[in-house]
């Protein structure tokens, strides 16, 4: 009997292969259970021109292996299978199930579609009513295959013959539009019929021309038009083709959406909606007028690198209450990002208003933290019977909703919260004996979900929702454990590279939009700009993608070179605007950068850390000279840091937890300084009974700094503290997501008066990475988790923990429990990987792939 077969292959970091934009997509697979190791593999490609087999390739590689044959041509579809040989096996495994990869439009000359939208007069300075566009067309035969390649200036939802195409939300997402606008390819074969057909699209303003950003926002950031770019390519049974592309023959009309904005919400007048508008029966009446055609360089249209935004979960309310004046207040029990779907029936003209907020104050929605993001959806009923409706081109961050104008009694089944975010595969789980810690972890997962909405954002509710570089810089290690976010972050880092200034400056947020004087014109800042070096490195470590590291390397290098110039010969970066340990709880609510830690100490520490990582990347990429140059520079910066910021007593010039945390975690201290510095850090933490005294910079580092320098117990004290400020304080206050401020809600239940009071901000949730590695005990020790370390370090009275991560090679898991005599641990090493297990009090043990049961009650951990 042949050994079992490997998993089907995957392509790049994509959930499927349809419409891929890479002509030589890399392939990955996992080994079948029990296979242990791969000695060789063979790939088979069934191409239109014939079948190609690589023959046996002696290699253990199974992640992102190179495409083995000629490049894909546009629209080409190839079925790919893999089989493998185990060491010493004479026969290969069975072939994997085939997976198809199909190229999108790889050459700009493939595009015939041009942007089409409303031709009527619009006032670019005012609210504009969104358009719909449509086109009737005839197909003269039976359709063998049809693909829709589609994108927009603005947002779109396409229908063909009345049926929605795909299930994406907020497509095409947000990129640096002038340089990269993503189109998606859909299989629409089943939508079409021989004879008359109609294609139509709803359009929205979105990021392209909607009002976005601080202080009331800026309109028309990318352009004043709102246009669809769509190319429907139909292949008949007889092999002939026809193309229906957006052009001057399309028609436009104002739709039933009266207003629409990502921050503002949407107003929909059902009286103006003809459900048959995108079918041949939807008569092309006088309101439909010729479109205005625009132009766009098709060279800027690119295929996605990751999955789209979708509804991933529906949540029912846990409580509905009615106010005396007839409004309904709904509690969904979870702070989430998405929108409401309502089913409602009432007389024509009835206006139902949906308002959203993350928290309540005095029994009412607290909308002040939303600032100018009004987050109000309005539905005007047609009187034509029950209607199910959900806004299309907006999202809100909320746990509570207030509904007014509802005709009759509102029952909870009439309103559902639909959770939206990038539909990433969940890959990480953690659970332990402490329920409050579990809720904290759950909150981190929810904050990741709510803020990975096509790009990594700071917050999902107020008038920001921007790709703040510092936030994801600290959160990326956690994010890449919890979900497969490689494609999303690779795409966003590409935009960071595009927005980098010629001198190397990395913006505070990407894509760049007009902002307050603090943020634009752009200037370089530590911890935020270091996303350029540290995040590609994190992704390389966690996903094993060396090409990704290579692609973003010029950006990383330009950043470090800039900081080197700014620092000058003394190697101290002590100039310019720095945010320091942003949101140190001691900073005044209106000046979050004014924390306890010298902001230039933070800047020089990050300079050293980034330079060190650039040197590591240079080693990985085989750039020997750079590796030597940057590692020498990193040493010099660390020396300069010690000279300037470390006193002879090993105290730091800023005697703050964050100062010690960065110095220790970034390895900036001389060996003899580390012990005293760590002791001082522990002393500072304990002096305030392990309440948190760190902000965005110190918080992600402090537990590691303590753990690695003999104060594991103090790290647990921090984790388990429930008094304000602390992680678990927020949990005891009912948090279901991670807050931006430690005291977003103060102990008396009132809102923090600061202008930034988001209740869904992942940055401070970066502690989950420490939880996974130290409490849970799973960490990569080689890129992509090809080698793993299982090293749980229990403490804080936690008696068991179960941690699991779907690595690129397969599932790694560690479940430990304290026993009277020590610890038992159940470990799963992914097939193809090797590991070291180090249980408390035991010597390290090498483990191969498979399941292992260890018990420390003997003199040494033993495989049972
Ligand atoms: C954002 C952040 C961001 C910070 C930068 C805030 O308004 O929400 O999380 O990193 O500004 O200073």
């Amino acid at each position: 009997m042949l050994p079992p077969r490997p998993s089907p292959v995957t392509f790049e970091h994509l959930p499927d292969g349809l419409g891929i934009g890479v002509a030589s997509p890399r392939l990955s697979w996992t080994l079948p259970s029990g296979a242990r190791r791969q000695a060789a593999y063979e790939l088979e490609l069934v191409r239109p021109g014939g079948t190609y087999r690589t023959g046996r390739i002696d290699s253990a590689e199974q992640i992102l292996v190179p495409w083995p044959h000629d490049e894909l041509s546009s629209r080409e579809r190839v079925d790919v299978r893999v089989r493998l040989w185990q060491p010493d096996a004479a026969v290969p495994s069975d072939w994997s199930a085939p997976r198809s990869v199909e190229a999108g439009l790889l050459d700009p000359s493939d595009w015939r579609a041009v942007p089409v939208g409303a031709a009527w007069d619009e006032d670019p300075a005012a609210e504009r009513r969104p358009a719909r566009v449509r086109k009737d067309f005839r197909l003269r035969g039976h359709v063998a295959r049809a693909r829709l390649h589609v994108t927009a200036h603005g947002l779109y939802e396409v229908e063909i013959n009345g049926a929605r195409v795909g299930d994406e939300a907020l497509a095409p997402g947000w990129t640096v539009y002038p340089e990269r606008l993503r189109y998606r390819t859909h299989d629409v074969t089943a939508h079409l019929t021989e004879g008359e057909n109609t294609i139509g699209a709803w359009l929205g303003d979105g990021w392209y021309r909607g009002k976005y950003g601080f202080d009331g926002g800026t309109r028309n950031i990318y352009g004043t038009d709102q246009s669809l770019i769509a190319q429907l390519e139909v292949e008949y049974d007889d092999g002939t083709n026809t193309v229906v592309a957006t052009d001057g023959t399309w028609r436009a009309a104002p739709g039933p959406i009266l207003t629409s904005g990502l921050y503002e919400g949407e107003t929909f007048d059902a009286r103006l909606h003809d459900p048959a508008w995108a079918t041949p029966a939807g008569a092309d009446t006088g309101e439909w007028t010729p479109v205005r055609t625009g132009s766009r360089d098709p060279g800027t249209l690119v295929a996605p690198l990751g999955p789209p935004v979708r509804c991933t979960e529906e949540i029912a309310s846990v409580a509905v209450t009615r106010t005396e004046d007839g409004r309904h207040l709904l509690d969904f029990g979870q702070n989430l990002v998405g929108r409401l779907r309502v089913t409602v029936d009432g007389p024509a003209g009835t206006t139902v208003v949906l308002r959203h907020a993350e928290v309540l104050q005095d029994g009412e929605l607290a909308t002040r933290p939303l600032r100018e993001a009004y987050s109000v959806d309005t539905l005007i009923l047609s009187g034509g019977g029950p209607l199910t409706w959900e806004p299309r081109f907006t999202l809100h961050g909320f746990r509570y909703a207030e509904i007014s104008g509802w005709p009759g009694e509102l029952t909870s089944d009439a309103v559902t919260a639909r959770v939206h975010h990038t539909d990433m595969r969940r890959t990480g789980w953690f659970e332990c004996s402490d329920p409050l810690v579990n809720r904290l972890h759950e909150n981190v997962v929810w904050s990741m979900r709510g803020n990975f909405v096509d790009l990594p954002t700071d917050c999902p509710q107020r008038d920001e929702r921007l790709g703040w570089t510092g936030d994801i810089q600290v959160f990326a290690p956690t994010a890449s454990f919890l979900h497969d976010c490689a494609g999303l972050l690779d795409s966003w880092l590409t935009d960071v590279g595009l927005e980098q200034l010629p001198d190397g400056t990395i913006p505070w947020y990407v894509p760049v939009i007009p902002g307050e004087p603090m943020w634009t014109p752009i200037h370089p800042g530590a911890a935020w700009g270091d996303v350029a070096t540290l995040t590609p490195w994190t992704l390389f470590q966690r996903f094993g993608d060396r090409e990704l590291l290579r692609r973003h390397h010029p950006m990383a290098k330009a950043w470090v070179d800039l900081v080197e110039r700014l620092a000058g010969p003394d190697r101290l970066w002590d100039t310019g605007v720095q945010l320091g340990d942003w949101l140190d709880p001691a900073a005044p609510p209106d000046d979050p950068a004014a924390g306890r830690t010298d902001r230039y100490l933070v800047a020089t520490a990050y300079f050293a850390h980034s330079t060190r990582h650039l040197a590591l990347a240079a080693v990985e990429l085989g750039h020997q000279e750079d590796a030597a140059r940057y590692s020498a520079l990193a040493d010099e910066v660390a020396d300069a840091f010690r000279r300037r910021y470390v006193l002879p007593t090993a105290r730091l010039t800023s005697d703050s937890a964050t100062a010690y945390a960065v110095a220790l975690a970034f390895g900036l201290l001389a060996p003899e300084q580390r012990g005293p510095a760590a002791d001082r850090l522990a002393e500072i933490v304990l002096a305030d009974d392990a309440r948190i005294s760190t902000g965005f910079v110190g918080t992600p580092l402090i537990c590691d700094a303590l753990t690695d320098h003999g104060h594991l117990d103090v790290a647990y004290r921090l984790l388990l503290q429930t008094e304000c400020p602390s992680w678990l304080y927020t949990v005891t206050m009912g948090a279901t997501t991670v807050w931006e401020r430690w005291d977003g809600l103060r102990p008396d239940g009132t809102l923090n008066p600061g202008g930034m009071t988001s209740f869904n901000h992942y940055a401070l949730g970066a502690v989950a990475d420490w939880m996974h590695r130290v409490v849970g005990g799973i960490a990569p020790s080689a890129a992509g988790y090809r080698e793993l370390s299982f090293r749980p370090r229990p403490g804080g009275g936690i008696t068991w923990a179960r941690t699991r991560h779907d690595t690129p090679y397969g599932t790694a898991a560690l479940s430990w429990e304290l026993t009277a005599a020590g610890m038992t641990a159940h470990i799963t090493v992914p097939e193809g990987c090797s590991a070291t297990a180090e249980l408390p009090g035991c010597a390290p043990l090498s483990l191969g792939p498979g399941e292992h049961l260890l018990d420390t009650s003997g003199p040494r951990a033993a495989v049972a």
Side-chain angles (χ1 to χ4, degrees), residues 224-537:
T224 52
D225 66 315
Q226 185 195 55
S227 319
L228 183 73
I229 304 172
Q231 187 157 313
L232 172 65
E233 302 193 339
V234 180
E235 196 180 306
Y236 293 112
D237 278 350
D238 63 7
T240 58
N241 301 295
T242 188
V243 176
V244 178
T246 43
D247 62 15
T249 66
W250 285 54
R251 319 268 288 170
I257 298 178
L258 303 183
T259 62
S260 172
L262 287 164
Y263 293 161
E264 293 89 336
E266 208 154 282
T267 300
F268 186 87
D269 189 342
R271 295 171 301 187
L272 306 176
H273 183 47
D274 169 11
W277 73 279
T279 69
D284 193 347
T285 58
E287 65 167 336
W288 290 91
T289 52
V291 289
R292 177 203 39 72
T293 59
S295 65
R296 163 135 210 140
D297 173 6
T300 60
L301 300 178
V302 298
L305 299 175
V309 175
R310 289 198 175 97
C311 172
T312 61
E313 188 176 349
E314 298 197 339
I315 294 192
S317 59
V318 294
V320 181
T321 48
R322 195 170 179 147
T323 61
E324 278 173 15
D325 57 1
R327 293 168 294 147
H328 291 92
L329 200 61
L330 282 74
D331 176 3
F332 290 91
Q334 172 64 50
N335 194 27
L336 58 92
V337 175
R339 48 209 192 197
L340 298 178
R341 176 175 280 183
V342 298
T343 300
V344 57
D345 192 4
T350 306
T351 300
V352 179
V353 178
L354 318 172
R355 298 172 64 234
H356 308 77
E358 297 187 297
V359 288
L360 299 179
Q361 290 280 276
D362 303 322
E364 296 284 340
L365 299 189
T367 54
R368 183 179 58 76
L370 306 179
R371 301 195 308 217
E372 298 199 32
Y374 300 113
S375 311
V376 178
D377 296 320
T378 305
L379 170 62
I380 303 164
L381 300 184
S382 65
L387 171 71
T388 295
W389 177 80
E390 174 186 344
R392 285 187 168 74
F393 299 125
T394 191
L395 284 185
H396 311 297
F398 66 101
R399 168 175 170 170
Y400 301 95
E402 180 208 274
I403 302 187
S404 51
W406 190 271
E409 203 45 49
L410 189 159
T411 53
S412 69
D413 58 342
V415 183
T416 306
R418 308 218 326 137
V419 178
H420 280 72
H421 51 83
T422 296
D423 192 8
M424 303 164 290
R425 187 167 55 92
R426 176 90 188 257
T427 54
W429 296 267
F430 170 88
E431 201 189 0
C432 72
S433 58
D434 187 321
L436 292 182
V437 172
N438 292 343
R439 183 64 238 192
L440 171 66
H441 191 266
E442 211 36 37
N443 294 359
V444 177
V445 173
W446 273 100
S447 281
M448 174 167 184
R449 294 175 69 185
N451 281 295
F452 275 59
V453 178
D454 198 51
L455 68 157
T457 63
D458 56 331
C459 61
Q461 73 298 84
R462 69 170 176 237
D463 54 351
E464 244 178 294
R465 317 187 194 180
L466 300 174
W468 282 96
T469 48
D471 303 44
I472 188 59
Q473 186 273 108
V474 300
F475 190 68
T478 301
S480 46
F481 184 91
L482 295 174
H483 290 95
D484 180 355
C485 54
L488 179 150
L489 289 178
D490 186 17
S491 177
W492 179 77
L493 285 170
T494 306
D495 286 328
V496 178
L498 289 170
E499 298 277 36
Q500 184 173 37
L501 299 187
D503 72 355
T505 299
I506 296 288
W508 297 105
Y509 48 79
V510 171
V512 176
I513 61 167
E516 292 158 348
M518 176 96 165
W519 318 119
T520 48
I522 303 162
H523 41 256
W528 275 254
D530 295 287
V531 75
T533 39
L534 302 178
T535 305
W537 180 258

